[in-house]
Amino acid sequence: MKFISTRGGAAVTGAEAIVRGMAEGGGLYVPETIPSVSAGELDGMLSMSYPERAAFILGKYFDEFPEEELLAALNAAYGQFEGDDPAPLVKIEEGLFLLELFHGPTCAFKDMALSVLPYLLRKSCDLLGVKKEILILTATSGDTGKAALEGFADAEGIKVAVFYPDEGVSKMQKLQMVTQDGDNVDVVGVKGNFDDCQAAVKKIFRSQECREKLKEKGVLLSSANSINIGRLVPQIAYYFSAYCDLLSSEQIRFGDRVDFAVPTGNFGNILAGYYAKRMGLPIGTLVCASNRNNVLTDFFNKGTYDKKRPLYRTMSPSMDILVSSNLERLLFEISGRDSALTVERMKALANPGRYSVRAEELKALSQTFYAGYANEEDTVECVYEFFEEFNYPLDTHTGVAMHVARSYCRKRAEDVNAEIRPMVVVSTASPYKFPQAVYYALTGNDVKDSFKGIKRIHLITAMKVPESLKALRYKPPRFKTVVPPEKIFEEVMNFIG
Ligand SMILES: *Cc1c(COP(=O)(O)O)cnc(C)c1O
């Protein structure tokens, strides 16, 4: 399998796509052809463990990786998760399920891919004969950063620099990052919001000058952000796995369609669902759920993406994003893989800050996607009511998705001709990762200290507290630097020495 860039140019191998992270000129890699999974193959996946299912899906894209080695890597990666299933499907009531993706080392779904990426990257370097040191440069809205740090800490030949918006992450997210162990890591706050942070990091990726300077130091740049195809592919696996679990537990019959609701920021998670559908998984609708930063809701409903609006800080900070990077891949697909048009749109997004899709593209999108959003009040109410009704504490990101999923289900229920389909809400974080926000949603009260928040949520809900969060309490912070966005490259050069 080869990969091509959304902005045109020659095809590259999977290993090259992973090592580069982003294609030249700022494009993103997509598979040259989207592989398919036959009904027979899907049936075969039923009896597999989660790592086996993931190895099967990854093998479809990264066929140059030795199968057994890949499976061993996935077993090791998911072996670090708490509990025996890394992606359990929980039945809430008839037709409503939660896909829990937060049992990894950092308690958010980013672990599903970032615990595997170090293997993919190292192996890619082997396959390409790359001997240089790799620098993983990452912008984070809170969760990617920690998952990348955890995945790559003390990895040989790899350094990780993480930049997070100083004012834009939760206390717990910040604490997770600034207490990170490892001699090869750097964690830096950036004055500004996530979009400023992401734009500055992307600029370094695009800059020939920066790459040259790094090359002089013997360093090759790569990315752990979801622009890296090595992030995206492991996420496809859990859509297949959830479907298999629905089949195994006889909640659906073979071929029945299932809807998924996904709390969305950079459009990575839900895009993996789109690829799963294109591979042949019977997915009905993908519900794209945004918080108050509802740029995607407007895009899917009106056909115009307009980033010129204020960015709000919300209680679901990992979704506080106005420029959703991975949407570029979807645009490329729905335009009939027109790279010239994609380039044009991305230019328009940079300046004047918006672009529109054609009416027939919007229509095609509406056949797969439904988009809605939850403001802060909706989110609080949803988390509160969901706990009251089902005794299950949602984190605030998942609360956003649940709110939108339920309004979508209500709408369908009014339509007598609508096919009845189960809804799987993708749960992206442990409620203990956002203790202040979740405690507030559950009780209407504030709690300043994160660990007090954790304790109180535990008293109310009796949900098990993840060991990795408990362990943070007594860890001293190691990183204190905060820089303006234009100083990011300077900080990188200091770090690599
Ligand atoms: C990253 C993240 C999201 C958004 O995922 P995208 O792939 O960026 O759309 C949602 N919830 C949580 C908890 C996250 O960490």
Side-chain angles (χ1 to χ4, degrees):
M1 167 75 73
K2 289 268 180 103
F3 292 81
I4 55 173
S5 162
T6 51
R7 302 195 192 179
V12 301
T13 63
E16 276 179 272
I18 289 170
V19 172
R20 287 189 192 182
M22 185 187 255
E24 260 157 50
L28 306 186
Y29 288 112
V30 294
E32 198 170 41
T33 53
I34 297 176
S36 59
V37 170
S38 69
E41 287 175 320
L42 187 58
D43 193 42
M45 287 175 82
L46 291 187
S47 58
M48 294 181 185
S49 67
Y50 187 84
E52 288 167 341
R53 288 172 181 170
F56 181 74
I57 297 298
L58 264 82
K60 293 251 174 200
Y61 288 87
F62 303 127
D63 45 14
E64 73 237 83
F65 291 68
E67 268 172 55
E68 275 180 23
E69 206 182 283
L70 184 60
L71 179 59
L74 287 160
N75 271 319
Y78 296 128
Q80 317 161 51
F81 282 46
E82 276 191 42
D84 42 39
D85 186 351
L89 188 72
V90 177
K91 183 170 179 175
I92 299 296
E93 63 176 344
E94 209 48 50
L96 182 63
F97 302 83
L98 275 171
L99 177 59
E100 292 182 346
L101 300 179
F102 54 75
H103 297 290
T106 76
C107 308
F109 91 97
K110 305 292 197 296
D111 291 323
M112 298 302 296
L114 278 165
S115 58
V116 186
L117 192 61
Y119 163 76
L120 293 177
L121 191 63
R122 238 190 328 258
K123 188 69 195 174
S124 298
C125 287
D126 282 355
L127 289 168
L128 299 172
V130 172
K131 298 273 184 314
K132 286 198 187 103
E133 186 169 54
I134 302 275
L135 172 70
I136 306 280
L137 182 60
T138 295
T140 182
S141 58
D143 291 335
T144 293
K146 178 61 182 180
L149 291 164
E150 213 32 58
F152 286 105
D154 289 328
E156 220 175 290
I158 298 178
K159 280 194 163 145
V160 194
V162 166
F163 292 90
Y164 66 91
D166 190 43
E167 300 283 307
V169 299
S170 81
K171 279 188 188 171
M172 188 58 94
Q173 287 177 314
K174 184 169 170 178
L175 193 62
Q176 277 186 315
M177 290 189 279
V178 300
T179 57
Q180 178 65 43
D181 295 323
D183 292 332
N184 62 335
V185 304
D186 192 22
V187 178
V188 183
V190 176
K191 290 197 190 96
N193 60 41
F194 174 68
D195 284 317
D196 300 328
C197 210
Q198 173 158 264
V201 164
K202 274 189 172 174
K203 202 164 142 193
I204 296 176
F205 273 90
R206 280 196 307 268
S207 159
Q208 209 51 44
E209 195 192 326
C210 291
R211 283 189 188 258
E212 283 303 319
K213 281 191 181 154
L214 290 167
K215 209 165 152 190
E216 282 165 23
K217 300 261 185 185
V219 173
L220 197 68
L221 203 56
S222 188
S223 170
N225 280 110
S226 54
I227 54 172
N228 194 321
I229 192 72
R231 269 283 300 279
L232 203 60
V233 175
Q235 295 177 1
I236 300 172
Y238 49 74
Y239 289 91
F240 278 91
S241 182
Y243 193 87
C244 290
D245 289 348
L246 285 169
L247 277 174
S248 302
S249 56
E250 298 182 352
Q251 299 295 323
I252 56 170
R253 279 174 311 191
F254 217 91
D256 283 356
R257 297 202 293 175
V258 175
D259 296 332
F260 285 89
V262 189
T264 304
N266 232 341
F267 210 75
N269 194 348
I270 193 168
L271 185 74
Y274 172 78
Y275 280 116
K277 182 171 166 135
R278 292 284 304 270
M279 291 171 77
L281 190 70
I283 292 178
T285 300
L286 289 165
V287 175
C288 174
S290 301
N291 64 23
R292 190 180 172 202
N293 296 298
N294 56 358
V295 62
L296 286 166
T297 314
D298 287 345
F299 170 69
F300 280 104
N301 289 307
K302 298 179 193 149
T304 296
Y305 195 100
D306 187 352
K307 72 169 187 184
K308 285 272 160 69
R309 57 178 85 204
L311 179 72
Y312 301 110
R313 284 182 62 187
T314 72
M315 58 177 69
S316 45
S318 303
M319 297 156 70
D320 291 345
I321 297 175
L322 292 180
V323 180
S324 282
S325 294
N326 279 288
L327 193 66
E328 177 169 346
R329 288 185 165 112
L330 182 66
L331 286 174
F332 179 70
E333 298 294 352
I334 57 140
S335 68
R337 299 199 143 200
D338 186 337
S339 55
L341 185 58
T342 308
V343 169
E344 215 174 274
R345 286 173 174 165
M346 290 303 112
K347 268 196 189 141
L349 178 62
N351 186 14
R354 68 172 172 277
Y355 60 84
S356 298
V357 294
R358 297 184 297 251
E360 69 266 23
E361 291 174 301
L362 185 61
K363 194 164 165 234
L365 286 174
S366 70
Q367 275 154 15
T368 297
F369 293 94
Y370 169 87
Y373 73 99
N375 62 28
E376 296 292 89
E377 216 179 303
D378 298 329
T379 309
V380 165
E381 196 171 284
C382 180
V383 171
Y384 178 83
E385 287 182 354
F386 198 82
F387 183 69
E388 200 179 47
E389 199 173 344
F390 302 113
N391 212 26
Y392 183 109
L394 299 168
D395 101 277
T396 39
H397 302 73
T398 312
V400 166
M402 187 59 73
H403 172 84
V404 180
R406 295 189 107 182
S407 62
Y408 171 73
C409 290
R410 268 198 305 277
K411 219 176 106 180
R412 281 178 63 84
E414 285 164 13
D415 177 359
V416 286
N417 297 315
E419 176 186 51
I420 294 173
R421 299 198 288 248
M423 168 61 77
V424 176
V425 176
V426 178
S427 178
T428 51
S430 159
Y432 291 113
K433 189 159 188 178
F434 300 93
Q436 279 93 357
V438 171
Y439 184 68
Y440 177 77
L442 291 176
T443 66
N445 295 322
D446 289 319
V447 56
K448 275 227 170 64
D449 181 80
S450 300
F451 297 97
K452 244 184 208 165
I454 286 180
K455 210 163 151 185
R456 291 187 190 172
I457 295 170
H458 180 69
L459 278 174
I460 300 168
T461 68
M463 187 192 236
K464 190 177 176 303
V465 182
E467 295 299 328
S468 60
L469 293 182
K470 275 194 216 163
L472 278 181
R473 182 155 193 181
Y474 301 105
K475 285 192 91 171
R478 294 178 61 204
F479 301 96
K480 294 200 175 81
T481 313
V482 178
V483 301
E486 62 277 10
K487 288 277 161 78
I488 288 184
F489 190 65
E490 210 177 299
E491 176 62 30
V492 168
M493 293 304 281
N494 286 341
F495 170 53
I496 59 176

